[in-house]
Amino acid sequence: MLIAGNWKMYKGPREAAAFCRELRDAALPDDVDVVVCPPYVSLESAVQALADTEIGVFAQSCHWEREGAFTGEVSAPILREVGVYGTLVGHSERRQWFGETDDSAGARVRAALEGGLHVIACVGETLAEREYGETEAVIRRQVGALEYDENLVIAYEPVWAIGTGRTATPEMAQEAHETIKSLLDVPVLYGGSVKPDNAAELLGRPAVDGALVGGASLDIDSFAAICRAASRS
Ligand code: 13P
């Protein structure tokens, strides 16, 4: 089981360090891999606070070139230099607000993997796509932009479940995860309003290999509770 906390645009370096120290002291279960994904400027303080622990620090995106004239972007070698272990790629908020496409996400994933990072690549349908019966086609298209790699994990995050308090039912998650696994045999995380009180049920489904947690990962008690629920699942 892998539990990843996507902090999105929350927690500067000081708050990140304080949170990571609490996480280090939280006696998390040993059978669960735990990852946090702070904003770029907080990565280094998170890495330092988690040194000598098994908790991984991931970025939230990564550019497809090693260096160049790409204002506002950060590359795999730069992330590696500050001790970052992996990165998210293709989150729906990047697709919705920052023009991320299947092609650009695919290029970022390849560059991150080639640069020695682990990758959690995000896929998932919008509410309109689900209502039009396009969920499977969207997943096939998004996953089709990726190739198998032993360091690749996919997160299924239905867009309508992100930050809304609505979650996919465990059956919906299971079905989407089976589709993804039929295309690429990689671990698949569920994301979208995962909370301490619904984590065990979602994580209990056989095709659910962990969770990508947004809002509930910002609070130490709720994040630790989700990690403990993963241990029992
Ligand atoms: P929430 O858990 O806040 O719905 O966010 C999910 C998400 O987008 C994780 O990447």
Side-chain angles (χ1 to χ4, degrees):
M1 282 277 167
L2 168 62
I3 302 295
N6 175 10
W7 294 358
K8 307 191 179 185
M9 201 170 68
Y10 293 95
K11 298 192 193 296
R14 276 188 296 276
E15 204 182 332
F19 184 95
C20 290
R21 283 193 294 270
E22 287 189 275
L23 201 55
R24 195 182 55 196
D25 297 339
L28 300 174
D30 323 322
D31 58 338
V32 178
D33 294 321
V34 178
V35 156
V36 292
C37 313
Y40 284 131
V41 295
S42 305
L43 288 168
E44 196 166 9
S45 71
V47 167
Q48 284 167 3
L50 293 171
D52 306 320
T53 75
E54 297 287 310
I55 302 171
V57 177
F58 276 43
Q60 296 176 13
S61 187
C62 171
H63 197 259
W64 54 82
E65 294 290 346
R66 297 176 59 82
E67 59 184 7
F70 298 104
T71 302
E73 289 284 327
V74 176
S75 68
I78 294 172
L79 292 170
R80 294 266 295 173
E81 189 178 331
V82 292
V84 167
Y85 190 75
T87 185
L88 305 179
V89 173
H91 191 279
S92 65
E93 287 151 16
R94 300 229 41 96
R95 296 176 191 259
Q96 184 177 357
W97 303 111
F98 304 103
E100 188 85 275
T101 64
D102 294 339
D103 284 349
S104 64
R108 289 181 198 275
V109 170
R110 276 192 299 281
L113 291 167
E114 277 166 19
L117 294 171
H118 288 241
V119 171
I120 301 173
C122 306
V123 302
E125 80 289 356
T126 63
L127 184 59
E129 288 164 342
R130 177 163 282 271
E131 285 176 345
Y132 283 113
E134 293 170 357
T135 298
E136 187 177 332
V138 169
I139 290 173
R140 285 182 178 278
R141 194 197 71 223
Q142 292 176 338
V143 176
L146 308 173
E147 282 157 36
Y148 173 82
D149 190 283
E150 62 183 1
N151 293 329
L152 176 66
V153 170
I154 292 181
Y156 169 61
E157 298 208 302
V159 178
W160 49 271
I162 293 178
T164 59
R166 290 180 67 183
T167 46
T169 64
E171 292 69 32
M172 284 178 192
Q174 174 72 17
E175 192 181 344
H177 287 213
E178 281 174 2
T179 301
I180 293 167
K181 284 172 179 285
S182 74
L183 300 167
L184 283 183
D185 185 17
V186 297
V188 182
L189 314 181
Y190 170 78
S193 297
V194 175
K195 308 286 177 207
D197 59 2
N198 61 23
E201 200 187 4
L202 286 157
L203 294 167
R205 301 308 300 237
V208 179
D209 302 310
L212 180 55
V213 185
S217 75
L218 297 171
D219 174 80
I220 186 72
D221 294 331
S222 60
F223 190 56
I226 292 169
C227 295
R228 284 192 285 272
S231 171
R232 293 191 297 267
S233 301

